[in-house]
Amino acid sequence: MQSALLALCRAAARFPRATLGLIAAMTVLAGAGLLSLELRTAGQALVPRSDPVVLSDAEVRRHFGLRDSIVVLIESHHPEGIYNRETLSRLRDLSNDLAAIPGIGSEWVMSLASEARPRVYPGTFRFRPLLDPFPDTPELMERLRADIKAIGILTGTLVTQDGRAAAILIGAPPSLWADPSGADRAALYALIERAASRYENDAHRIRVVGAPVAEALLGSHILADLRLLVPVAMALIAAVIWLVCRRRWAVALALIEVGGCLIFTFGMMGWRDVPVYLTTGILPVILTAIGVADELHVLWRYQQMLGRGESAEDAVSRAMESMARPVTITSITTALGFLSFLVAPIRAIAVFGVFAALGVAYCWLFTMTAIPAALTLIDREEMQRPSWPAMAPLASALPRRLFEGLLQHSRRTLTLLGVLAALIGVGVLGVRVQDSWIDGFSPASEFRRASEFADRHLDGTHVLLAHIAFAPEAAEWPVLRDGRSGPLLEPQVLRAIRRFESALEEIPGVGGVLGPGSHIETVNHLFLAQRSDTRRIPDHAVRVGMVLDKFDLARGVRRRREVIHDDLHQAVVTLFVHGANYRDTAEIMKAARAAQAEYLLPLGARMRFAGDLAVSQAMIPAIVRSQLGSLALACAGALLLTRWFLGSFRLACLAVAPTAAAVLCLFGAMGWLEIPIGVATSTFCAITFGIGIDYAVHLLERIRQLDSGALCAPTRPETLLRALRETAPPILADAVSVSLGFAILMVSRVPANGRLGVIIAVALLAAALFTLVGLPAWLTSRPAARH
């Protein structure tokens, strides 16, 4: 392998202009794919379409005609809350404007302006809307209050408990990911926001929230992040290269490599019709951070050769001869760390791994060809100008002063590191899975504050659907004269469902519950002139059928079908959840199953969950497990590769051990500090492993070279110190620059990305520490394997 790698480097140096031309042509051709690249931030894109929960959710939505809701909340500062002419006028007009937006329509807009009141037009059975007649007198306004109170189920859904705000619910069309005939939700949100802004003034505050809005905003946040973070990351890389090499041409080469890598990688995504998902949105920052790691080591070795008085040509040759093998090994292990995401059940995560690995491959090719080619073309005087003298003492003094004492007491050093790792690592037992989509937004963001406001004042903006189904052959159900038949005509069944709904209302975190029982009770109460004893399930199936007819007349057939299916064997109970997250939702679902066992199972009813909360609840642990599985794959792959390259399984274990210890310690720290592991943070494992192993590979390879191709047992201190003197500065520069590159994600507008960046940065610094302290101590105290 070494001879083939050197042949590639020498060919590039021999034909520098042709080499650079080929690299440029490859980059430009790939970059043409950028013209067809698209952004796809739909949350459904993060779950596989074939997953049973996704299929079940789609089936329930299709049977009951359900859509994701966008909530437009109008808050009034009037002393009477929403019960004033101006607020209700704005509510009515805004409802009409929203219904006129393409893709929505009046049937998918629900507000006080669309819902029926328990009053009919004279001489007809047509129910009046709540705002007809418009309440422009104190008497009519009081009548509106009374009707909303009598209906009951509108409070907490369309009107806040305190009457200070009213909601307009919009059924959002499916996203383009879920349905090619669907809507661009980012564009839809922009239209809704534009329409809503026209009705704001000093007395009225309007907020737009909901899962479709979150998807649209996350996409815009990612684009805004890229406009800020990529230039900052590039400036950081330029600063590190300047500090290490003190050469303008070195900075230029680094920036060209990073720029070419981004153009090539995202251009290939465009050619392959792979959109930019939420997961791949941070890929530019990651590739910028890690893209020049190999180049940094090559340039450092090249500077060393020049410092020893060698000619520029010899320096290029010697640097590539020394670095070709470790650069190749580290590039493969880094790419393997990303490729381990292929085991993820989520296409968006697998795509992230594939194209991150492709970017790493581009950077390897650039380092092996473009760098030696460029170095042969750079002006000789510029190349041989003395570099910044501060790096000389760093190269010679730092390893000896910092490590010589540790090596003299290697066993104590290992014991100290072992005890430290054990104490921190035991915290892994306390690591818990936790996630929430609202955590994707900063606590200071306007959307998060708006969502929390709506969540506090309504029954809840998070929805969990409980689909109830009865087997057709379960029993002899009532049959009406018009042919309708089914368990949902049976009063006993409806009372059991109503008790089930009441049990759900008592679950902590559930703000409200609407289902067939509560709807039929309400319609029966209104149909029977609102007498005090009529808010109950009718006693006879015929009466139940009449109530369903009134339901259709008052609210429309489509609204009734959202609760009770035409076959009268299926129904949906909607749970409105406050502040939904993984743990709390799990408890709610557990309690709901217990209530099902008590009230529904005796009647032969089955229940399954649907809705966004159910999908995320099923997918979060699956994603986390797959990410931890990718860690095992990355670890096993790294062991096999380093075993092949280094020729010894024991040496492979040594190469893997520092990063494994760092990952264990970080998991332990997360457990001790009660930092939960979520969808985003779980990806740090394989990324850290793929990058962190580079440090040990560079150190072990240099020791092997100094030992004439074999690692002595034990390693001689003078050999180890020389290897540290030559590799510790670039390893530290590599670790610090890549860690800082990830750490800048802290300023991301997506907190999950910020947490991921910090975790990876800390893990990589820990991997460098274990490599430069623990690995030398082990090599001087234990026999190493021979080739």
Side-chain angles (χ1 to χ4, degrees), residues 121-137:
Y121 290 105
T124 72
F125 288 104
R126 291 190 302 113
F127 289 85
R128 289 178 178 269
L130 282 165
L131 298 187
D132 183 13
F134 188 79
D136 52 4
T137 66

Side-chain angles (χ1 to χ4, degrees), residues 417 420-422 424-425 631 655-670 684-685 688-689 691-693 695 759-771:
L417 288 177
L420 179 64
I424 298 176
L631 172 62
V656 169
T659 304
V663 170
L664 175 63
C665 286
L666 196 59
F667 267 124
M670 293 174 68
F684 90 90
C685 305
T688 298
F689 214 93
I691 300 173
I693 196 175
Y695 313 140
I759 288 173
I760 293 178
V762 173
L764 291 178
L765 291 175
L769 172 66
F770 279 108
T771 297

Side-chain angles (χ1 to χ4, degrees), residues 82-345:
I82 66 166
Y83 295 103
N84 66 88
R85 178 185 177 87
E86 182 185 2
T87 300
L88 293 175
S89 176
R90 290 174 182 270
L91 176 70
R92 178 194 59 196
D93 295 343
L94 177 55
S95 297
N96 293 333
D97 288 354
L98 294 174
I101 293 177
I104 297 181
S106 58
E107 66 174 330
W108 293 107
V109 175
M110 185 167 66
S111 70
L112 295 181
S114 66
E115 294 307 287
R117 67 196 316 165
R119 304 174 192 274
V120 297
Y121 290 105
T124 72
F125 288 104
R126 291 190 302 113
F127 289 85
R128 289 178 178 269
L130 282 165
L131 298 187
D132 183 13
F134 188 79
D136 52 4
T137 66
E139 293 77 15
L140 290 176
M141 191 67 71
E142 189 58 34
R143 183 182 298 175
L144 175 64
R145 285 178 183 266
D147 286 348
I148 292 175
K149 182 179 180 181
I151 295 172
I153 59 176
L154 299 183
T155 303
T157 54
L158 294 184
V159 181
T160 59
Q161 300 288 348
D162 58 7
R164 309 297 305 177
I168 302 174
L169 304 183
I170 303 170
S175 67
L176 290 173
W177 178 89
D179 185 348
S181 63
D184 180 343
R185 287 187 167 180
L188 177 65
Y189 166 67
L191 292 174
I192 293 173
E193 183 70 21
R194 190 178 305 126
S197 65
R198 294 196 295 266
Y199 292 91
E200 273 196 316
N201 61 13
D202 292 341
H204 296 87
R205 173 82 179 276
I206 300 181
R207 299 173 173 89
V208 183
V209 299
V213 177
E215 294 174 3
L217 289 178
L218 280 175
S220 65
H221 286 357
I222 287 173
L223 292 177
D225 281 351
L226 294 182
R227 287 191 290 268
L228 170 65
L229 297 181
V230 172
V232 171
M234 286 190 169
L236 177 65
I237 292 300
V240 171
I241 296 293
W242 176 256
L243 289 173
V244 171
C245 300
R246 198 68 172 181
R247 309 277 189 174
R248 286 172 294 183
W249 53 262
V251 174
L253 284 176
L255 295 180
I256 291 171
E257 178 176 347
V258 169
C261 174
L262 297 182
I263 293 172
F264 177 84
T265 303
F266 282 88
M268 291 303 295
M269 291 176 65
W271 281 117
R272 298 295 300 171
D273 293 325
V274 175
V276 177
Y277 297 109
L278 290 173
T279 53
T280 50
I282 61 170
L283 195 52
V285 180
I286 292 177
L287 290 177
T288 301
I290 68 176
V292 297
D294 290 334
E295 182 179 334
L296 190 152
H297 287 272
V298 170
L299 293 178
W300 173 260
R301 185 57 53 83
Y302 173 73
Q303 292 285 88
Q304 285 183 318
M305 299 299 105
L306 288 179
R308 294 172 183 174
E310 297 190 17
S311 66
E313 291 82 358
D314 289 343
V316 172
S317 178
R318 293 284 302 279
M320 297 311 299
E321 181 180 346
S322 173
M323 298 307 301
R325 178 182 163 93
V327 161
T328 300
I329 297 173
T330 56
S331 294
I332 293 176
T333 55
T334 300
L336 180 63
F338 286 112
L339 288 175
S340 66
F341 290 136
L342 285 172
V343 303

Side-chain angles (χ1 to χ4, degrees), residues 314-399:
D314 289 343
V316 172
S317 178
R318 293 284 302 279
M320 297 311 299
E321 181 180 346
S322 173
M323 298 307 301
R325 178 182 163 93
V327 161
T328 300
I329 297 173
T330 56
S331 294
I332 293 176
T333 55
T334 300
L336 180 63
F338 286 112
L339 288 175
S340 66
F341 290 136
L342 285 172
V343 303
I346 310 301
R347 170 176 165 79
I349 295 177
V351 163
F352 166 80
V354 168
F355 284 94
L358 185 63
V360 171
Y362 177 94
C363 292
W364 170 83
L365 182 63
F366 192 97
T367 300
M368 297 294 289
T369 58
I371 295 300
L375 292 179
T376 62
L377 295 176
I378 295 173
D379 182 73
R380 297 297 186 272
E381 294 183 2
E382 169 64 18
M383 291 203 324
Q384 294 182 350
R385 182 177 60 82
S387 62
W388 191 28
M391 296 307 296
L394 177 64
S396 60
L398 182 136

Side-chain angles (χ1 to χ4, degrees), residues 400-421:
R400 184 171 296 277
R401 292 177 181 177
L402 184 62
F403 302 125
E404 193 171 35
L406 295 175
L407 295 180
Q408 291 175 353
H409 306 283
S410 57
R411 293 184 183 277
R412 293 181 182 178
T413 301
L414 286 174
T415 301
L416 179 62
L417 288 177
V419 171
L420 179 64

